[in-house]
Every structure is written in C-alpha cells, then in structure tokens.
Amino acid sequence: MIKKTISALVLSACMSLAAHADPLSYARYDQVRTTDLYLDLKADFSHKILAGYAELTLNWIDKNARTLVLDTSELNIAKVQVQNAAGRWSAVSFMLDKLDADKGRALRIALPFQPQKVRVYYRTAPSASALQWMNPEQTLSGKRPFMFSQSQEINARSWAPVQDTPAVRFTYSARIEAPAGMRVVMSAENDQKATGQGGWKFRMTQPIPSYLLAIAIGEIDVRNVGPRSAVYAEPQRIEAAANELVDTEKMIAAAEGLYGPYRWERYDMIVLPPSFPIGGMENPRMTFLTPTMIAGDKSLVDLIAHELAHSWSGNLVTNASWKHFWLNEGFTTYVTTRIVEKLYGDEVAEMNLQVEQEEAMASLAKIPAAKQALLTRDPDTSAASYTDSNLVYPKGAWLLRTLEQRAGRDVFDLFLRGWFDQHAFKSATTDEFVDYLKKNLLDAHPEIMSQSELDEWLYGPGIPATAKHAGSPRLAALDAQRDAWLKGELPTAELPAKNWIALEWMHFLNDIDGKASALQMQQLDQAFGLGKTGNNEIAYRFLLSSVKAGYNVREPLNKFLMSVGRQKFVVPLYAALLKNPNEKEWARTVYARARTHYHPMTQASVDKAFKQK
C-alpha cells in the first residue's frame, strides 16, 4: 500500500474517533494524534533495560493545543526535544504526573508551538510490565539471555512513551542495538538476512495501535514454512516449530477466501520460551506464540488459526477501547472456527465449537453477572476490569454464529467481509458495529434478530436462551461412554480412547473434572499415559482433574509448573492446589522455585491467588 493511502487512512481514523474517550489512557487524542513512531533503542541485558529515544510524528487536531500528553509506566525520562520548521531540535519542559497503580504516569510536555515531531529520551525499568528479561539458564541452550514483550492491553507504555490506546493508530520504524550473537525481531518487516550490524532495522508501513508494538531478542533461528510465512524460535526448538506450522499458508488462503486479501504482506511467527504468559499474541507480521501449542501432531494449530484471524478482526479493525474488547476477540473466535472448518472439515469444526460453547457455559458460575455482558460497563479504570472475563471470546462468536445461521452463510459472509473492508485500518466501537448491522442486515431482514434480543446479547448476562448449541455426534457417543465410566459400569480399559483426537480428550476431561475419583484418575493415567502426554491442553486438564480428585500427580505437575508459564494453565492449577489442604504448602514450595521463570503478568496473577489464601 502506498504511503499516501496509509496517511489518508490514519487521518480518517483520527477524525472518526475524535469523540471516543479511553479511560485507560491519559492521551488527549482529541487534540493531537501520533501518526508515526520511530524507536532508537539499545538493549542492556546486564541492567535489564532498553535505553534511547522515541520520536513521534504528530497530527494536531486542535489548533489551540500546546500540550502533548503521553502514557508512561516506570519510564525514566531524561529529556524531551521538539523539532522546529528549520529542522533544528531544542529542549522543552515536561512533567510526570503522580503514579496511578493501573495507568502509570502521564507525561505532560509543554510546547511553545505545535511541532510536527517530538523526541523523548528515556530508559525502561527492569520491572517494566511488558518485558520479561530471561537469564541464559532459563533458555533452551543456556548460552545467551532472552527478552520478549507483551504490550496488550496497556503495557506498551512501560517500554515506549506513546498514546497507549487502541483508538490511535500509527506507522512505525525502529533501530535496535543488541549484543552480538542475538537476533532482534519486531511486529514489523523482518529481514531474514540481516546481521544486526549498525543495529537491527524495522519498518511497519500499516498503521497499528500501540498494543501491537512487539519486540523479542535472543538466540533465534528462522525457517520458512510457506511463500509468505516463516517461523522463528530458539535453535533447539526450530525444527519442531516448523513441522507443526506447515499448514500456515493453507490457513492464510482459507481466510482470504472468506474475508478478502491478507493486507499485511507477510505472516511470520515466533515461538517464544515457555514463560510467554498467553497462548498467542497477534502482533502483525510477527505473531508471538507459546510453545505449549507444539503437540507434535498439529492437534493444537487452531491457535494459529485464531491469531491469523486477528489479521482481519483486531489488527485490521480494532476495538476503539478495551470496553469494546469483544469486537476483537468475539469476531476472531468466530472466524477461527470458519478457518478450521475449511481446512479440517465440518466434523472437527463442530467438535471444536461444542467444546468452546460448553466451556463458556461452565464459566458462567465463576463470573459475576455484571461481567458477563459483551459490552463492559465497569467504571473501573484498570485494564483487567475490561478483559478479565474470557467469556467475550465464545459469547461474541456465538452472537455472530446466530446471525449467520438465521441470515444464511452466503449473506452473512458478504456482510462480515464488508465490515472488515469498510473499517480497514480503523478503530471501532460497538455502536458503530450495531449501526452497520442495522443498515446492512437487520433493516432489510428484521426477522433475523429483534432489538431486544440484540440488547440481551450485548448487555445481558449469560448466553441468551435463543442461542442454538453446537452438537457433535462423535462427542454425543463419547458422553454415553463417559457417563458409564463415571458410574463404574464401563471399565477404564474398555474406553475407546486410543482413537480419540485432542478435542475428544479435552471434552472428556472437562466433563469429569470434579466428578472422577482418585482411583479413576489413576486408572486413566496408567492406561493412556496422560501424565506424560506432549499435548499441553490435555495435560493441563488431566492435572487439574487429578488435583481435585486427590490423585497424586506431584511429579508431572511439578515439571509442568516449572516449564510452562501460560496463565490459562498455571493460574487454575495453583488455585486448585491452594484449595486442597494437603497440597497448599507444596504449592508454595513449587511457586517459590517457579516464580522467576514466569512473565510479570503471570507472577501478578499467581501472587494474587496466594494472597487470597
């Protein structure tokens, strides 16, 4: 895409979103917006900091404004400079507001005029919430350290002074200095042949929100897995990662067939160390992945389908604030199932959908009713208050699937593709989606969904009674076997589980959680080797059910907790251990050893669980 078109997109997004306020950002983006960011930073592993400067190119909307407000968290600001019309740089005064535990500090820069460019010289803190600095012994080779970022939701401000809100989109470029023998990758164009001499250089020509800023530095190898995709990973993991991800190009083609061309040129991925706190992060051009998705049989690659789907829903069309998080994740979860169906067939897609919906229904008992709506109305200003419920993933997808079922797939596919096309490289709100939905679907076909039902989906708790539940014949047959096994009527040895795929195991283990006895869990383990499975989704569910049943799985559980840092897994496991009086102290001992292996986000979540006990 040519630069002039990108600039027009940025300006269009600026004007259309001027009225939307983000309570998690100090930025006055109704007055001025960042259109481009340049980072010039040096990675100092001995002190665990990034140091250098950020140069922001600005578009002034309010011609009377004379203050630039940026979001920061634990940044040490050395100086701020502005560039005048003659190209000369000069220092200006600035101040940092009082610290807010959730939002960090506002950096307020006083300006004598409205400059096009501002430079902020700074360094990060070793405790920056977005960055995990790993010692060599925490890596596979044990030779060199490693660092990676996780900026979502509002952690970009801990490693760059930015307008840290998804309402603002900007292009960016960077030059990063790193120690010899280490590769730097970013959510931008990555040159596989680069050596890092003179610094590692990057360019992102499509405008992105700040939470998609991403960086990783370490001993990293690369393998191409398709004509426009490659995988990066530590050398000892690169072959397993490449083998697992060979279907990536098929996934891209499947998504393009549904929702139009892939607009980010390349879809590269990096498989990070196990401490990466989430399954995947959809950083454009460079998806960040947990190694827990490597099962050896491609049974967990729906995670790739999900992160790829974000290239349309989330990255291309972004929620304008985290209040509208479902526009990112609900849409992406829906698109994921469509990609899985196209690649792996109706049967697998239906099983995947049923497991997804059943887990959503089971989660309702643990989520306050006020947090079960798609559109969050929580007045709290912490990011967690907007996104701490994973219900928006399946519930948002369920709403879209309901619309699809009633409108017909051909009609709905055109409708959804139009949403992506008309809002490409923009940030959107729920109101904007509802307006689009009415004008392009419901006004002509009001029988599809009434306003009261739509309101129930968006603002009500739980899943509406009108929702149609997925039903897989294979899982229905499995249910009968599960019930007989739980009652003791079907011996463990007679379970036909050797032929089950991962989704069937996940469904089975979900349903026996809290119901099976210690003896039954032991028999499962002995018959099918679940304590030694290489599939982490299965391992997690087996270990969780075993802890609740009282079956001793300390040896595999210790190995799991010491080697996996994905919050989805470790937080519930520690919580289950803490509820068991016999395991409480053992859990504290394990966590004392494991804590330094976890990302700061995971540490905070597990710390909270221990404090509550």
Side-chain angles (χ1 to χ4, degrees):
M1 189 174 291
I2 60 173
K3 187 174 290 186
K4 183 177 180 181
T5 304
I6 291 293
S7 299
L9 286 167
V10 173
L11 292 175
S12 173
C14 289
M15 298 309 293
S16 65
L17 290 169
H20 303 318
D22 182 348
L24 301 183
S25 175
Y26 293 108
R28 293 296 308 272
Y29 50 93
D30 58 330
Q31 298 179 349
V32 58
R33 287 176 179 249
T34 306
T35 58
D36 186 70
L37 172 70
Y38 172 70
L39 295 172
D40 196 299
L41 301 170
K42 181 177 181 179
D44 182 344
F45 278 84
S46 61
H47 295 95
K48 298 183 178 180
I49 63 171
L50 294 172
Y53 69 87
E55 181 179 300
L56 296 89
T57 301
L58 306 170
N59 172 46
W60 291 91
I61 300 166
D62 182 347
K63 301 308 177 185
N64 296 315
R66 290 294 184 273
T67 303
L68 172 64
V69 185
L70 301 176
D71 294 301
T72 76
S73 178
E74 293 192 280
L75 297 185
N76 186 306
I77 310 298
K79 63 180 178 180
V80 179
Q81 293 182 333
V82 298
Q83 187 180 50
N84 64 21
R88 289 192 295 270
W89 293 90
S90 59
V92 293
S93 60
F94 65 90
M95 65 172 288
L96 285 165
D97 281 5
K98 184 180 178 180
L99 175 67
D100 179 280
D102 293 316
K103 296 166 59 177
R105 290 180 170 179
L107 170 62
R108 301 184 186 276
I109 303 169
L111 300 167
F113 57 95
Q114 293 188 332
Q116 184 184 14
K117 293 181 183 292
V118 170
R119 279 184 182 174
V120 181
Y121 290 78
Y122 70 98
R123 68 173 184 270
T124 62
S127 55
S129 57
L131 307 179
Q132 181 170 14
W133 299 85
M134 305 177 68
N135 297 321
E137 57 269 23
Q138 294 175 285
T139 67
L140 284 177
S141 72
K143 295 177 182 178
R144 294 182 177 89
F146 203 105
M147 183 272 277
F148 63 83
S149 67
Q150 173 55 23
S151 294
Q152 194 182 34
E153 286 88 10
I154 59 170
N155 292 318
R157 66 190 68 181
S158 73
W159 68 282
V162 290
Q163 292 180 304
D164 197 8
T165 168
V168 175
R169 303 178 71 108
F170 50 84
T171 55
Y172 85 89
S173 56
R175 189 189 75 88
I176 310 295
E177 291 185 37
M182 302 176 77
R183 180 190 290 270
V184 183
V185 297
M186 294 190 76
S187 53
E189 293 177 0
N190 288 268
D191 182 359
Q192 293 184 15
K193 298 178 181 179
T195 63
Q197 186 174 2
W200 297 83
K201 298 178 177 65
F202 304 92
R203 187 179 62 148
M204 167 56 79
T205 58
Q206 292 91 350
I208 64 166
S210 56
Y211 76 88
L212 295 177
L213 281 173
I215 186 171
I217 306 174
E219 190 179 7
I220 299 170
D221 205 347
V222 58
R223 292 285 188 280
N224 285 308
V225 292
R228 47 182 165 171
S229 57
V231 61
Y232 294 72
E234 293 177 88
Q236 291 84 352
R237 185 172 276 127
I238 191 68
E239 292 302 332
N243 290 336
E244 203 80 2
L245 299 172
V246 293
D247 287 341
T248 301
E249 178 60 31
K250 293 179 183 178
M251 288 188 177
I252 300 172
E256 286 184 317
L258 291 167
Y259 305 115
Y262 179 76
R263 309 189 199 201
W264 304 89
E265 296 166 49
R266 287 191 61 84
Y267 183 75
D268 292 336
M269 301 153 284
I270 179 169
V271 178
L272 292 164
S275 59
F276 187 55
I278 58 177
M281 183 62 213
E282 62 271 17
N283 304 309
R285 295 177 181 259
M286 182 63 73
T287 283
F288 281 29
L289 294 169
T290 171
T292 62
M293 52 72 58
I294 299 177
D297 59 1
K298 297 188 285 187
S299 59
L300 300 180
V301 294
D302 62 315
L303 175 64
I304 309 301
H306 182 91
E307 304 311 328
L308 171 65
H310 270 300
S311 301
W312 285 263
S313 49
N315 295 4
L316 189 64
V317 186
T318 303
N319 49 219
S321 77
W322 298 110
K323 178 178 181 177
H324 307 282
F325 187 51
W326 81 278
L327 292 177
N328 277 24
E329 295 298 351
F331 278 59
T332 296
T333 304
Y334 170 82
V335 172
T336 300
T337 301
R338 296 295 305 279
I339 295 173
V340 168
E341 178 187 304
K342 203 162 186 180
L343 259 67
Y344 304 112
D346 295 347
E347 187 177 55
V348 171
E350 191 73 8
M351 282 194 285
N352 189 71
L353 194 60
Q354 182 176 332
V355 171
E356 175 187 296
Q357 292 180 353
E358 287 174 344
E359 291 181 348
M361 297 301 292
S363 74
L364 294 177
K366 306 172 188 175
I367 305 171
K371 291 184 179 291
Q372 293 179 10
L374 281 180
L375 185 62
T376 309
R377 295 192 178 280
D378 196 321
D380 192 343
T381 56
S382 69
S385 72
Y386 291 99
T387 61
D388 61 359
S389 169
N390 287 329
L391 183 63
V392 297
Y393 290 68
K395 185 175 180 179
W398 214 331
L399 167 57
L400 297 183
R401 183 172 174 82
T402 300
L403 292 170
E404 176 219 306
Q405 289 169 330
R406 296 178 186 176
R409 179 163 284 188
D410 290 344
V411 171
F412 190 73
D413 282 355
L414 286 173
F415 163 85
L416 193 55
R417 179 167 177 170
W419 167 254
F420 296 142
D421 287 344
Q422 292 179 36
H423 298 81
F425 298 106
K426 297 178 182 177
S427 300
T429 66
T430 300
D431 285 345
E432 287 170 321
F433 173 71
V434 170
D435 287 344
Y436 177 84
L437 174 63
K438 290 178 178 178
K439 292 175 183 176
N440 295 276
L441 193 62
L442 299 185
D443 284 353
H445 304 282
E447 73 281 1
I448 290 175
M449 185 171 288
S450 67
Q451 182 64 52
S452 60
E453 185 182 0
L454 179 60
D455 287 345
E456 187 180 0
W457 278 104
L458 295 174
Y459 310 118
I463 304 297
T466 53
K468 184 178 179 181
H469 292 246
S472 161
R474 278 177 63 172
L475 294 186
L478 187 155
D479 288 344
Q481 296 160 354
R482 176 207 64 218
D483 290 343
W485 178 80
L486 281 171
K487 293 174 184 176
E489 299 169 356
L490 179 67
T492 302
E494 294 182 20
L495 279 172
K498 283 186 170 62
N499 299 318
W500 289 351
I501 66 172
L503 282 167
E504 289 171 298
W505 268 116
M506 290 159 64
H507 175 74
F508 178 84
L509 291 169
N510 282 343
D511 286 352
I512 68 169
D513 185 29
K515 299 175 184 177
S517 67
L519 178 60
Q520 286 176 313
M521 296 308 299
Q522 181 184 24
Q523 291 172 345
L524 277 181
D525 192 13
Q526 291 173 343
F528 304 108
L530 297 183
K532 298 178 182 178
T533 177
N535 186 305
N536 286 281
E537 291 282 355
I538 295 174
Y540 157 68
R541 288 167 174 80
F542 166 72
L543 293 170
L544 186 65
S545 295
S546 295
V547 170
K548 292 180 180 179
Y551 172 49
N552 186 345
V553 286
R554 282 189 177 184
E555 184 178 346
L557 182 53
N558 177 71
K559 183 179 179 181
F560 190 90
L561 291 171
M562 290 295 295
S563 62
V564 173
R566 189 175 174 184
Q567 289 190 94
K568 170 187 171 182
F569 296 154
V570 302
V571 175
L573 285 170
Y574 279 114
L577 288 168
L578 290 172
K579 287 181 181 178
N580 186 329
N582 298 323
E583 302 291 356
K584 196 171 183 179
E585 287 308 310
W586 182 76
R588 293 185 187 278
T589 302
V590 174
Y591 186 47
R593 296 196 311 270
R595 190 178 188 278
T596 58
H597 294 267
Y598 297 154
H599 187 276
M601 291 171 58
T602 308
Q603 291 176 352
S605 297
V606 181
D607 287 350
K608 183 178 179 181
F610 274 94
K611 286 178 182 176
Q612 291 174 342
K613 294 296 177 180

